[in-house]
Amino acid sequence: MSSLNPLSQFQSLFNKPLLLPLSQFPSSFIPKTSFIHFHLSSLPRRVSVSVTPMNGVIASSTTAEKSKKRNPGESKGFVEEMRFVAMKLHTKDQAKEGEKEVKEPEEKTVAKWEPSVDGYLKFLVDSKFVYDTLEKIVQEPAYPSYAEFRNTGLERSASLAKDLEWFKEQGHTIPEPSSPGLTYAQYLTELSQKDPQAFICHFYNIYFAHSAGGRMIGKKVAQKILNNKELEFYKWDGDLSQLLQNVRDKLNKVAEEWIREEKDHCLEETEKSFKLSGQILRLVLS
């Protein structure tokens, strides 16, 4: 891993249709003997309208929607859509699927990667603050869907607490959370109260990025400054691949309740997730 950018890095009250006589519409538009079906299960975000005269269906507003081109990965579930968007935000140096062009100085590949213990401690402390926030949000959910993500086995807060205690026993001073961690945690808290789709985007990218690129970075740091010690941050109880699959299933289940616009809104938050995570990750070299 030559760069420090994050790596492969959730019903309506009515279900019955309401039948309205078409006598309310101009006779030149539709025969008065027809009825128009407003499916209230879709209101107010979208309305599916079908006009059915005596001799059959004339038109449906869903035709255009059905004919839309599918997003990459959509056929496999929403998590695959999120993964695809996340991979595109990598550079070619980071992933073969990457498409991101390097524009900012902090996005450039680090020529000489020299982490420090003090910088790594800042990274671990800020990471713990963010994970503390995520775990509190799902334990005290503002939206019922968040409760799906309690006790997934991916939680990192307790493991990070053990690691920081180990550093303290080695004689290191544990710093207070710094601006990157405080900023991200506050942002997550605000999102969780008002924007569940955007919050879920961050939830996915934080946990899944750590299970992939995060582990690679941890191994590299251990080689450089920790005499190859493996921290608890990079250990999971049980089979990690199965834990990740369980969470994928939960994410897909939650996203099934979203309309397309809400899914797209979630995907659009990916770049923000990468930016805020990257600010914490860069603490390793501070």
Side-chain angles (χ1 to χ4, degrees), residues 2-5 91 100-111 282 285:
S2 58
S3 172
L4 286 181
N5 284 327
T91 64
K100 184 175 179 62
E101 294 182 4
V102 176
K103 297 179 180 179
E104 303 297 331
E106 62 268 20
E107 296 173 345
K108 294 181 179 179
T109 300
V110 179
R282 283 190 289 276
L285 297 181

Side-chain angles (χ1 to χ4, degrees), residues 62-231:
T62 61
T63 303
E65 182 177 344
K66 290 179 180 178
S67 64
K68 281 184 179 179
K69 183 178 180 180
R70 285 189 145 191
N71 283 356
E74 186 176 352
S75 62
K76 297 181 180 180
F78 188 62
V79 171
E80 185 63 14
E81 291 187 58
M82 288 197 286
R83 189 198 71 81
F84 184 86
V85 172
M87 294 307 296
K88 284 180 64 178
L89 288 175
H90 291 76
T91 64
K92 286 293 185 182
D93 287 341
Q94 295 171 326
K96 63 181 180 180
E97 300 170 75
E99 296 182 6
K100 184 175 179 62
E101 294 182 4
V102 176
K103 297 179 180 179
E104 303 297 331
E106 62 268 20
E107 296 173 345
K108 294 181 179 179
T109 300
V110 179
K112 191 174 182 180
W113 206 71
E114 294 295 344
S116 67
V117 173
D118 288 343
Y120 193 48
L121 277 172
K122 292 177 186 177
F123 162 73
L124 293 176
V125 167
D126 278 31
S127 294
K128 183 178 184 299
F129 197 73
V130 169
Y131 282 107
D132 286 345
T133 301
L134 285 170
E135 291 171 27
K136 181 179 180 181
I137 287 170
V138 300
Q139 288 297 327
E140 303 170 6
Y143 291 84
S145 59
Y146 297 168
E148 292 280 347
F149 305 103
R150 294 172 178 166
N151 306 317
T152 63
L154 298 183
E155 292 80 15
R156 297 291 85 202
S157 186
S159 297
L160 281 163
K162 293 178 182 178
D163 289 331
L164 292 173
E165 183 61 31
W166 178 82
F167 276 100
K168 187 176 180 180
E169 292 171 355
Q170 308 310 304
H172 296 286
T173 300
I174 308 303
E176 293 297 317
S178 60
S179 179
L182 294 171
T183 298
Y184 201 178
Q186 181 179 354
Y187 183 68
L188 289 170
T189 299
E190 293 172 356
L191 275 188
S192 70
Q193 297 291 329
K194 63 184 182 181
D195 195 340
Q197 285 77 34
F199 170 73
I200 290 297
C201 175
H202 289 266
F203 180 94
Y204 163 77
N205 280 292
I206 289 171
Y207 281 107
F208 278 68
H210 178 64
S211 71
R215 283 194 295 165
M216 296 172 64
I217 291 170
K219 183 176 181 179
K220 195 166 186 177
V221 171
Q223 292 171 344
K224 287 277 188 178
I225 62 176
L226 299 179
N227 196 27
N228 287 317
K229 176 179 172 58
E230 183 181 13
L231 297 182

